[in-house]
Amino acid sequence: MTGIVSHDGIKQLVLVSGRAHPELAQSVADALGIDLVPTTAYEFANGEIYTRFGESVRGADAFVLQSHASPINQWIMEQLLMVDALKRASAKTITVVAPFYGYARQDKKHRGREPISARLMADLFKTAGADRLMSIDLHSAQIQGFFDGPVDHLWAMPILTEYVRTRVDLSNVTVVSPDAGRIRVAEQWAAKLGGGPLAFVHKTRDIRRPNQAVANRVVGDVEGRSCVITDDLIDTAGTITGAVRVLLEAGAKDVIVAATHGVLSAPAVDRLQECGAREVIITDTLPIDDDKRFPKLTVLSVAPLIARAIREVFDDGSVTSLFDGNA
């Protein structure tokens, strides 16, 4: 069955996917109990992208899933074209499902004459014809206000914390924020892990040099304790591995790293393997190729979360209910 028809027979749900992360799309479709809409997509000789759906989507509530992996601009453009195709094929509603939202780190101006790229992304999807956005662990909550329409901001925290609880002694764990800006998230993590103490790593960053930060010292009780560092993403892993080093130097018993998005740009894999962390835990919001996997890496699936959120939206239910009313 390609789609889901509502109990009253009035509405139809269809799921379409780009080529960035077909494994995740198939897992979401399996969780929903449907097939993906057959889609043709390829590049012309000059790099232009062509997309076409193999079935009618007229009158359907369409969900177009594409995680913004590398090469990020290609996959964003493909998703924009798929949204435009859905609009011109008379889909009733179009929801952009971007588990990892591209350009989210550029959500404000640090210096003069810079773009706010995360806002531009939202404008592009709206112009293409999207009625709704759905994403997981946006870099900052303010991005929800950039889109002129509903935004479903999903949390991977329940998936991550449920696993981490099986990997640590809850009576001897400290949750660590890699910088002062994510203390609020670390507090929520600590509550999920039994209410232990918090710590954060003081770091400095030169805004003129991307992907470079220096971890200076840890603030909080970490000596002799298992530490869990939480972050929204790991790109080149400089921030995370610097935090691991500072924690171990401060006497931490061991360190687990947990993050939602595994961007893992070079030299992230080498850094993570050598930093001394006991385990690195991420989700599959982005494809993790074989050359990016290593023995200490654990990848958890977000497909059930996305499938439940899609079903709640289709059934006019509550996405917030998936997070105990805390989202």
Side-chain angles (χ1 to χ4, degrees):
M1 181 175 66
T2 301
I4 296 174
V5 178
S6 61
H7 297 301
D8 56 14
I10 296 176
K11 298 197 301 180
Q12 180 188 13
L13 182 159
V14 296
L15 177 65
V16 302
S17 170
R19 295 172 292 165
H21 197 351
E23 298 84 5
L24 177 60
Q26 187 59 57
S27 295
V28 172
D30 291 344
L32 286 167
I34 62 175
D35 295 324
L36 293 165
V37 172
T39 304
T40 300
Y42 57 81
E43 282 82 31
F44 290 105
N46 67 347
E48 292 180 4
I49 299 170
Y50 171 87
T51 65
R52 182 179 183 273
F53 305 115
E55 294 181 0
S56 173
V57 294
R58 182 179 297 274
D61 292 322
F63 294 80
V64 53
L65 192 156
Q66 179 90 300
S67 207
H68 300 161
S70 178
I72 188 168
N73 296 328
Q74 176 182 357
W75 301 135
I76 290 172
M77 190 66 195
E78 182 176 89
Q79 192 174 28
L80 288 166
L81 292 170
M82 295 177 80
V83 171
D84 184 76
L86 287 167
K87 178 181 67 175
R88 298 179 189 281
S90 301
K92 181 181 178 183
T93 66
I94 303 170
T95 299
V96 166
V97 183
F100 176 72
Y101 183 95
Y103 290 89
R105 282 175 284 183
Q106 299 180 49
D107 60 347
K108 56 183 175 292
K109 292 177 64 173
H110 295 279
R111 306 166 68 200
R113 301 180 297 282
E114 289 183 341
I116 301 180
S117 306
R119 170 59 193 265
L120 176 60
M121 285 283 298
D123 289 343
L124 287 170
F125 282 118
K126 186 67 177 179
T127 300
D131 300 292
R132 188 182 199 104
L133 293 185
M134 181 181 294
S135 190
I136 300 177
D137 287 350
L138 291 167
H139 188 64
S140 63
Q142 73 188 41
I143 294 173
Q144 296 174 80
F146 292 172
F147 183 74
D148 185 17
V151 176
D152 298 305
H153 187 196
L154 311 183
W155 288 6
M157 185 188 303
I159 298 170
L160 292 165
T161 54
E162 181 179 355
Y163 177 80
V164 170
R165 286 176 65 89
T166 69
R167 305 294 293 157
V168 297
D169 176 3
L170 296 180
S171 66
N172 188 44
V173 63
T174 295
V175 176
V176 182
S177 171
D179 55 55
R182 291 187 62 81
I183 286 291
R184 173 58 181 155
V185 176
E187 289 176 343
Q188 294 165 338
W189 265 80
K192 296 280 189 181
L193 297 180
L198 295 173
F200 74 90
V201 176
H202 179 268
K203 71 177 183 181
T204 56
R205 182 189 296 274
D206 186 343
I207 61 175
R208 295 168 295 183
R209 303 177 69 185
N211 297 115
Q212 294 191 35
V214 178
N216 296 316
R217 60 190 176 89
V218 61
V219 178
D221 180 17
V222 301
E223 187 172 359
R225 301 181 67 84
S226 294
C227 294
V228 178
I229 304 176
T230 70
D231 210 347
D232 62 324
L233 64 88
I234 303 175
D235 191 353
T236 60
T239 295
I240 287 290
T241 55
V244 172
R245 173 184 56 80
V246 168
L247 289 169
L248 293 175
E249 290 175 352
K253 176 185 175 183
D254 53 30
V255 181
I256 288 177
V257 173
T260 302
H261 309 296
V263 180
L264 303 183
S265 304
V269 172
D270 292 337
R271 285 174 169 174
L272 290 168
Q273 290 188 93
E274 299 167 1
C275 70
R278 174 158 66 93
E279 187 173 4
V280 178
I281 307 159
I282 58 175
T283 75
D284 62 349
T285 57
L286 290 164
I288 309 298
D289 297 332
D290 289 342
D291 61 350
K292 292 184 177 181
R293 295 179 181 265
F294 51 96
K296 294 182 180 180
L297 180 69
T298 299
V299 182
L300 305 177
S301 177
V302 294
L305 170 63
I306 296 173
R308 292 198 304 269
I310 287 175
R311 192 62 201 246
E312 289 291 341
V313 170
F314 177 66
D315 291 336
D316 296 323
S318 171
V319 174
T320 304
S321 68
L322 301 178
F323 309 100
D324 301 320
N326 294 322

